[in-house]
Amino acid sequence: MRTEQIALSPLAPGADLSLTVQRFGTAGARPRIYVQASLHADEIPGMIAAHHLRERLTVLEAEGRIRGEIVLVPSANPIGLSQRVSGSHIGRFNLADGINFNRGYPHLVPKVAERVEGRLTDDGEANVRLIREALRAELEAWEPSNPAEVMKKALLGLAQEADIVLDLHCDAEAVVHLYTHTRSAEEFAPLAALMGAHAYLLADVSGDEPFDEACSRPWAELADRFPDRPIPFSCHATTLEFRGERDVDHETARADAAAIVAYLTLRGAIEGTAPTLPEPLCRATPLAASEPVPAPGYGILVFKAQVGDRVKAGDAIADVIDPLTGATVQAKAPCDGVMFARVALRFVTRGMRIAKVAGTTAQRTGKLLGA
Ligand SMILES: [Zn+2]
């Protein structure tokens, strides 16, 4: 393992920040895999999975079994990691401006398209090299306006060079689920099965430029823009949601790391016998069919459904109880599907999204992710 530090811009004079990057295998070799944990800095299940993954990769490297290069950023957000307010860890939003650390990545496609127009050929591999160069140049030209953007630029710079990007997150209370680009459905189906995912959510554009889409969308959109030139989809990226924020234990994290190693073996990044895939627990469904459940009133939230439960439209998912009058209203499932995530709060305000149900019929439009 080779460790390097990337200096970020200081938050204030003397308050220096850096990213720690750990590399396994041969520098520059392919396939190149990029794994980062805890971009939302208070989501620790990814960080513990990365810890166990590093142990596995260290052994595999000593055995000479890393074929390409695996780049690991085991703690991707030093800004969010240091944010505490009255004892609570705030790792999802930048306290400086309220912006989600997993939104607002630069959409480089228009300028990259200008840069490669007229230079693409019938050689797909040469086109991939040309597009990677253009992505690099356009990201380089992007001028961050604050320390969080400097960090985003550094992370995207590492990730967009990779063939496969795994961004490790978690939800508040949840079963394992994944988000990816529609055209990466086949790529990550084995990983979804190996991880035991209960929902596998696909979108072309989910809104507000999350990290995984900053990596993947250029390849889909440039292929559409230049249909007469071969442009292989060359950066598959997925957001892996490792259950709920308190699901941090060695046994689970070891199993998660083992699932990632098995998937990377299947993809040829690690030498070994390809794993036998378990029967998937779910099939891929559109993110636009994933419906939030709004709280129907103010009050005490008492869930009736557990994460991972299959529900039918109209099923009562939770009671919401007015603490003064005792009046109780029920939050109901908006569609048939799997309730794959729910909030950790137990007192809610009317309209608050308290759970998510992965349905099968795409109905939603516009921005598909929550705040
Ligand atoms: Zn997250």
Side-chain angles (χ1 to χ4, degrees):
M1 180 177 85
R2 301 175 311 285
T3 299
E4 61 194 47
Q5 303 288 331
I6 299 178
L8 302 175
S9 60
L11 285 178
D16 291 343
L17 295 170
S18 65
L19 281 177
T20 298
V21 183
Q22 295 166 335
R23 294 174 183 269
F24 300 83
T26 309
R30 292 199 176 267
R32 186 180 304 188
I33 313 297
Y34 176 76
V35 183
Q36 72 176 21
S38 306
L39 175 59
H40 286 144
D42 50 357
E43 297 177 358
I44 309 307
M47 209 184 269
I48 186 78
H51 162 73
H52 285 285
L53 179 63
R54 178 176 50 224
E55 291 192 343
R56 294 288 303 265
L57 293 177
T58 302
V59 172
L60 290 162
E61 187 175 52
E63 293 170 354
R65 289 172 57 195
I66 310 256
R67 272 194 193 143
E69 184 177 22
I70 300 173
V71 180
L72 176 67
V73 176
S75 177
N77 182 355
I79 299 173
L81 209 54
S82 65
Q83 295 186 152
R84 284 185 192 265
V85 176
S86 302
S88 293
H89 190 179
I90 309 293
R92 184 177 183 82
F93 300 99
N94 184 1
L95 283 178
D97 56 15
I99 294 176
N100 186 323
F101 287 113
N102 191 22
R103 304 286 186 273
Y105 288 79
H107 184 56
L108 304 175
V109 171
K111 289 194 167 168
V112 167
E114 276 174 34
R115 222 176 245 270
V116 302
E117 181 136 41
R119 297 170 63 204
L120 295 163
T121 65
D122 291 331
D123 179 345
E125 282 183 26
N127 292 342
V128 169
R129 282 195 298 275
L130 183 70
I131 290 169
R132 283 202 176 116
E133 272 168 32
L135 284 165
R136 216 170 286 144
E138 286 303 330
L139 183 61
E140 191 52 45
W142 179 49
E143 290 188 21
S145 56
N146 56 53
E149 286 190 351
V150 171
M151 185 180 81
K152 290 175 181 179
K153 180 172 179 173
L155 293 170
L156 183 57
L158 291 166
Q160 71 175 8
E161 301 292 331
D163 301 280
I164 292 171
V165 172
L166 309 180
D167 191 11
L168 314 188
H169 287 248
C170 74
D171 212 304
E173 295 180 355
V175 283
V176 173
H177 56 286
L178 291 77
Y179 298 91
T180 194
H181 195 279
T182 311
R183 290 183 213 177
S184 297
E186 214 173 299
E187 173 62 38
F188 293 119
L191 181 59
L194 286 160
M195 289 171 47
H198 290 252
Y200 183 25
L201 303 160
L202 308 179
D204 289 348
V205 180
S206 47
D208 290 335
E209 316 290 349
F211 184 79
D212 64 345
E213 289 184 5
C215 300
S216 59
R217 271 179 64 192
W219 298 98
E221 292 173 19
L222 292 167
D224 290 348
R225 196 124 158 185
F226 303 104
D228 53 343
R229 299 292 184 205
I231 300 179
F233 198 114
S234 297
C235 187
H236 291 282
T238 178
T239 299
L240 307 181
E241 302 279 351
F242 284 118
R243 309 172 196 82
E245 58 197 20
R246 294 172 66 187
D247 295 325
V248 178
D249 65 79
H250 285 304
E251 196 182 336
T252 308
R254 263 190 215 110
D256 290 338
I260 291 174
V261 167
Y263 166 72
L264 295 181
T265 306
L266 194 68
R267 289 294 175 251
I270 293 171
E271 204 173 293
T273 312
T276 311
L277 293 179
E279 200 58 35
L281 302 181
C282 66
R283 62 187 174 85
T285 51
L287 179 58
S290 167
E291 300 269 355
V293 182
Y298 296 81
I300 306 160
L301 178 65
V302 181
F303 278 109
K304 292 166 172 260
Q306 305 303 313
V307 290
D309 281 358
R310 293 204 153 269
V311 295
K312 293 239 171 269
D315 281 357
I317 279 181
D319 287 337
V320 179
I321 305 157
D322 182 322
L324 302 179
T325 66
T328 301
V329 284
Q330 289 186 324
K332 294 189 172 161
C335 59
D336 293 3
V338 177
M339 192 184 87
F340 63 93
R342 65 186 198 185
V343 293
L345 297 170
R346 291 298 181 266
F347 191 92
V348 293
T349 52
R350 189 184 166 87
M352 181 185 281
R353 295 171 167 200
I354 59 169
K356 300 172 196 167
V357 177
T360 52
T361 310
Q363 297 186 14
R364 296 168 65 214
T365 54
K367 293 179 181 178
L368 300 175
L369 299 172

